[in-house]
């Protein structure tokens, strides 16, 4: 695999990832852009002990452009985009409208494919493996960024999720703080270790495998299951099966080789949950990795969480008063029923 780093017209970094070592990526960005400026700010909520980001400049970001003006497609003739090349495999660039930037983190866009009407589920295993390589490489790079404490590689898919660009893509957030979700998990893991001497992640995964009721898919290297206390109507967690690792960098060759087939199958099953005519299933999918420079980092377990806000054909799970106001989730679908459905729609 080959990585080529260049700059866009406004100074933002652009990285091409290619499966061939002889790929040449020297096309210049011809757009007349002003130097990129980020106005992000982070404030601390002392009462809840969590951070809130502010990025007022995002109000002017690109919003549902027509397909022939998509900024994530390759550049063709006078139709200039964020990708100067007329073709690419996987491309990553600094977000033009970042939630975090400068001294307070970093946000990047990951283009999974040059095909505008494709999806991650339609990628080949080789293409999905190249995306995994890009996620891993960016995690390693951002680990050295002075303003980044945690990296989250994720994909928002579907207008129902709030996606404003239809081209298959994801994002990488380098947070300048440890996120509330991870902070709570770390506290639980630490308390369990203090109380029992064991690892909570290991025990939860072992319990799911022993019971088997909510296992969706399992291979020699990966286990996918619906958590016993899932928040969302259809939610799957994907863990390395044989061992606990803190981040993408720690995966071995067998785990990397086994990931594409498992993940692509999960995404394809998600698109079949609600039957023909329901359209592509909206989802959020993201890698949960250990923050950098924390005590007992090896106690954290890398895993991917995939979920949809659709609860039935034509109906969404909205975060209403209880969920949005109090963070107390009430789900419409039992985890066991969700696991049954995800097994029923196997290829």
């Amino acid at each position: 695999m080959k990585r080529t780093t260049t700059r866009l017209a406004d100074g933002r970094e652009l990285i091409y990832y290619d499966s061939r070592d002889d790929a040449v990526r020297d096309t210049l960005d011809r757009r007349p852009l002003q130097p990129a400026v980020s106005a992000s700010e982070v404030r601390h909520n002392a009462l809840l002990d969590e951070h809130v980001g502010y990025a007022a400049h995002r109000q002017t970001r690109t919003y549902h452009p027509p397909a022939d003006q998509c900024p994530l497609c390759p550049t063709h003739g006078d139709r200039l985009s964020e990708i100067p090349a007329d073709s690419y495999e996987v491309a990553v660039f600094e977000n033009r409208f970042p939630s975090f930037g400068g001294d307070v983190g970093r946000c990047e866009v990951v283009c999974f494919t040059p095909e505008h009407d494709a999806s991650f589920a339609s990628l080949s295993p080789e293409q999905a493996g190249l995306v995994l390589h890009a996620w891993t490489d960016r995690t390693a790079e951002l680990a050295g960024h002075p303003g980044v404490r945690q990296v989250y590689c994720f994909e928002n898919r579907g207008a129902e999720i709030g996606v404003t660009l239809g081209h298959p893509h994801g994002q990488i957030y380098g947070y300048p703080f440890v996120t509330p979700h991870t902070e709570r998990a770390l506290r639980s893991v630490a308390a369990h270790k203090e109380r029992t001497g064991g690892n909570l992640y290991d025990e939860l995964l072992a319990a799911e495998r022993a019971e088997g009721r909510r296992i969706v898919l399992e291979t020699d290297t990966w286990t996918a299951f619906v958590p016993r206390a899932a928040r969302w109507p259809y939610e799957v967690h994907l863990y390395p099966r044989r061992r606990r690792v803190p981040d993408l960098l720690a995966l071995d060759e067998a785990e990397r080789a086994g990931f594409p087939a498992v993940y692509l199958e999960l995404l394809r099953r998600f698109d079949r949950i609600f039957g023909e005519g329901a359209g592509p299933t909206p989802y959020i999918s993201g890698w949960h990795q250990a923050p950098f420079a924390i005590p007992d980092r090896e106690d954290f377990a890398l895993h991917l969480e995939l979920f949809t806000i659709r609860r039935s054909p034509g109906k969404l799970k909205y975060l209403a008063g209880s969920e949005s106001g109090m963070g107390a989730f009430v789900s419409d679908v039992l985890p066991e029923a969700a696991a049954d459905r995800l097994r029923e729609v196997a290829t």
Side-chain angles (χ1 to χ4, degrees):
M1 296 182 184
K2 182 179 181 180
R3 163 181 155 165
T4 305
T5 302
T6 183
R7 292 280 173 181
L8 295 171
D10 56 5
R12 289 176 295 131
E13 193 171 26
L14 166 66
I15 308 104
Y16 293 101
Y17 292 90
D18 289 284
S19 57
R20 294 169 55 99
D21 288 337
D22 60 354
V24 177
R25 301 297 184 185
D26 57 4
T27 308
L28 297 178
D29 183 3
R30 294 181 281 130
R31 296 173 298 171
L33 300 179
Q34 295 297 315
V37 177
S38 173
S40 302
E41 180 183 349
V42 174
R43 299 181 184 181
H44 181 249
N45 182 324
L47 188 62
L48 298 181
D49 190 21
E50 65 182 31
H51 293 84
V52 179
Y54 298 88
H57 59 278
R58 284 175 55 81
Q59 289 280 26
T60 59
R61 68 187 183 274
T62 308
Y63 187 81
H64 292 300
D68 63 357
Q69 297 177 31
C70 174
L72 306 185
C73 288
T75 288
H76 288 295
D78 292 331
R79 192 185 78 176
L80 308 179
S81 77
E82 292 278 59
I83 316 294
D86 60 6
S87 68
Y88 64 86
E89 292 189 67
V90 174
V92 178
F93 60 86
E94 288 183 75
N95 198 322
R96 190 175 178 183
F97 304 98
S99 298
F100 306 102
D103 295 331
V104 287
R106 176 160 161 140
C107 293
E108 301 178 342
V109 176
V110 185
C111 297
F112 303 139
T113 169
E115 301 298 327
H116 182 82
D117 295 322
S119 67
F120 201 116
S122 70
L123 300 182
S124 69
E126 292 75 20
Q127 289 172 307
L130 187 59
V131 175
L132 176 61
H133 175 77
W135 284 331
T136 305
D137 183 72
R138 298 314 303 154
T139 298
E141 185 79 15
L142 292 175
H145 191 294
V148 172
R149 292 198 59 197
Q150 181 179 5
V151 172
Y152 183 49
C153 306
F154 66 101
E155 179 190 4
N156 297 329
R157 194 269 191 110
E160 299 93 332
I161 297 294
V163 174
T164 58
L165 296 175
H167 193 106
H169 72 288
Q171 298 182 67
I172 300 175
Y173 272 25
Y175 295 102
F177 51 81
V178 178
T179 62
H181 184 106
T182 304
E183 284 275 21
R184 291 182 67 178
L186 288 170
R187 287 197 295 269
S188 296
V189 169
H192 184 83
K193 184 178 181 179
E194 176 70 21
R195 186 171 62 251
T196 70
N199 182 274
L200 184 57
Y201 284 113
D202 292 350
E203 293 177 20
L204 289 174
L205 178 58
E208 291 289 356
R209 294 188 65 213
E211 183 178 351
R213 181 68 180 83
R214 291 172 296 274
I215 297 293
V216 173
L217 182 62
E218 190 163 48
T219 69
D220 291 341
T221 50
W222 294 91
T223 299
F225 61 92
V226 177
R228 184 176 183 277
R231 287 178 164 186
W232 301 98
Y234 292 88
E235 176 179 340
V236 174
H237 292 192
L238 179 64
Y239 280 73
R241 173 180 173 175
R242 298 171 299 154
R243 64 201 184 104
R244 170 174 24 99
V245 297
D247 55 31
L248 290 168
L249 281 69
L251 292 176
D252 64 24
E253 288 305 311
E255 289 157 346
R256 293 184 189 284
F259 169 75
V262 172
Y263 187 52
L264 291 172
E265 173 63 14
L266 287 175
L267 293 183
R268 290 163 186 166
R269 291 189 192 189
F270 258 59
D271 273 344
R272 293 193 289 268
I273 291 173
F274 303 105
E276 294 184 10
T281 298
Y283 64 74
I284 294 173
S285 178
W287 285 106
H288 291 250
Q289 305 190 77
F292 306 122
I294 61 170
D296 301 319
R297 189 172 187 268
E298 299 299 317
D299 289 341
F300 190 91
L302 168 76
H303 62 285
L304 182 142
E305 297 187 7
L306 166 67
F307 62 89
T308 180
I309 62 170
R310 184 179 288 172
R311 56 188 175 88
S312 62
K315 297 180 181 178
L316 300 181
K317 165 61 179 177
Y318 291 103
L319 295 189
S322 178
E323 291 89 355
S324 293
M326 294 300 287
F329 277 68
V330 179
S331 182
D332 304 279
V333 180
L334 281 171
E336 292 74 19
D340 286 342
R341 181 59 180 159
L342 285 163
R343 288 191 293 265
E344 288 173 2
V345 295
T347 303

